[in-house]
Amino acid sequence: MLALTAMQVRGYTENHGRICEPHQLDAWLLSTVVPPAEREIYEDVLSATERQVAARFRFEADRERSIVARGGLRWILSAYCGVSPQSLTFRTDTYGKPSLSGIPSAPQFNVSHSGDCVLIGVSLAPCGVDVERSRTRLSEHSIAERFFCPREVEWLRRTQNGFLRLWTMKEAVIKAVGRGLSVPLSDVDVTDIAEGNAFTITLETPGLEKQTLWLKELNAAKDYAAAIAMVGSEGAVNL
């Protein structure tokens, strides 16, 4: 899965209308390494508030990541909605899950960013995405033993470099159901997905109706783990 440049994003979205198909999640991977000549492609479509948010970051890499994530999201959603990127308005619910405002039948979407990558998912059903750059975590096993379910902890004991795979899948599921940290990580058992024995999980957690979610890992980029999730019992990914 190759990360798209700003020129590619604008080209794919400006000249082609996009349609969400049932049971399909469109995954977009963007590069945050933006040449100065291309930065304006993203920055020019940002709202005043989004510009202010980006400007508050101390480090340039964080500013670039914010600009690409918000500007890229606007370009991509504009292609599905048939409006200009600048005209899109967003709202968030009480759990912080974003959605589009004022557009009938607007698609669902979700965004994640880490390192040099921004991952965006678009679908008709509620969806969640997560991407994480690999880095040394001395406390991975202690984190797992504290927050993961027993099956996952046992799987990690016999698997190399499995922590980030489980983490991204869990995050994608939690973001898809849109309830944030109110869902305990231990209630999201993704062991069967990690072992390749299933494509869906059934989420049962207090305060939330029992749900089935389609879940898939992505080979996003070298040294990254990524996953996408969508509410429903079947799904496919369009890269």
Side-chain angles (χ1 to χ4, degrees):
M1 188 175 181
L2 296 177
L4 300 175
T5 66
M7 292 289 288
Q8 290 172 321
V9 170
R10 184 175 65 181
Y12 284 137
T13 60
E14 196 173 41
N15 301 319
H16 301 85
R18 309 289 298 194
I19 299 175
C20 283
E21 299 291 345
H23 312 299
Q24 179 172 290
L25 187 149
D26 293 351
W28 299 77
L29 185 67
L30 315 184
S31 172
T32 65
V33 180
V34 183
E38 293 191 22
R39 179 185 173 121
E40 291 183 359
I41 293 175
Y42 291 132
E43 200 164 21
D44 284 351
V45 300
L46 298 181
S47 68
T49 300
E50 289 167 336
R51 292 171 189 267
Q52 292 169 3
V53 170
R56 284 199 291 265
F57 286 105
R58 178 180 178 185
F59 298 107
E60 181 65 22
D62 294 326
R63 288 194 292 272
E64 294 291 341
R65 197 176 295 117
S66 178
I67 290 170
V68 172
R70 297 302 301 183
L73 178 65
R74 283 182 172 276
W75 273 110
I76 289 167
L77 291 179
S78 72
Y80 291 91
C81 299
V83 299
S84 68
Q86 297 92 328
S87 67
L88 295 172
T89 58
F90 298 87
R91 61 188 175 196
T92 55
D93 63 18
T94 55
Y95 292 96
K97 188 173 178 63
S99 62
L100 285 170
S101 177
I103 298 180
S105 303
Q108 304 278 328
F109 65 90
N110 199 241
V111 183
S112 177
H113 49 75
S114 180
D116 297 334
C117 292
V118 172
L119 181 62
I120 296 174
V122 183
S123 64
L124 292 178
C127 62
V129 303
D130 192 53
V131 61
E132 300 286 345
R133 182 170 58 183
S134 178
R135 56 186 183 272
T136 302
R137 290 180 174 86
L138 298 178
S139 58
E140 284 184 357
H141 287 287
S142 62
I143 292 173
E145 289 174 357
R146 183 178 179 185
F147 296 108
F148 290 9
C149 73
R151 292 184 70 218
E152 293 170 327
V153 174
E154 175 58 31
W155 181 81
L156 282 173
R157 290 195 180 106
R158 48 189 169 82
T159 306
Q160 290 187 340
N161 303 319
F163 178 85
L164 212 55
R165 292 177 58 196
L166 297 184
W167 183 272
T168 54
M169 285 190 281
K170 285 173 172 289
E171 283 290 308
V173 168
I174 288 173
K175 293 172 75 175
V177 299
R179 299 300 287 269
L181 297 177
S182 67
V183 179
L185 289 175
S186 57
D187 287 352
V188 187
D189 183 359
V190 298
T191 310
D192 291 334
I193 308 294
E195 291 181 334
N197 297 326
F199 297 101
T200 63
I201 71 165
T202 300
L203 178 64
E204 295 185 72
T205 189
L208 186 67
E209 185 177 347
K210 182 178 177 180
Q211 293 193 52
T212 298
L213 295 100
W214 173 78
L215 177 60
K216 182 178 178 61
E217 292 184 86
L218 294 182
N219 183 17
K222 188 177 185 297
D223 298 325
Y224 286 80
I228 57 176
M230 184 169 57
V231 173
S233 59
E234 59 181 301
V237 58
N238 181 37
L239 304 174

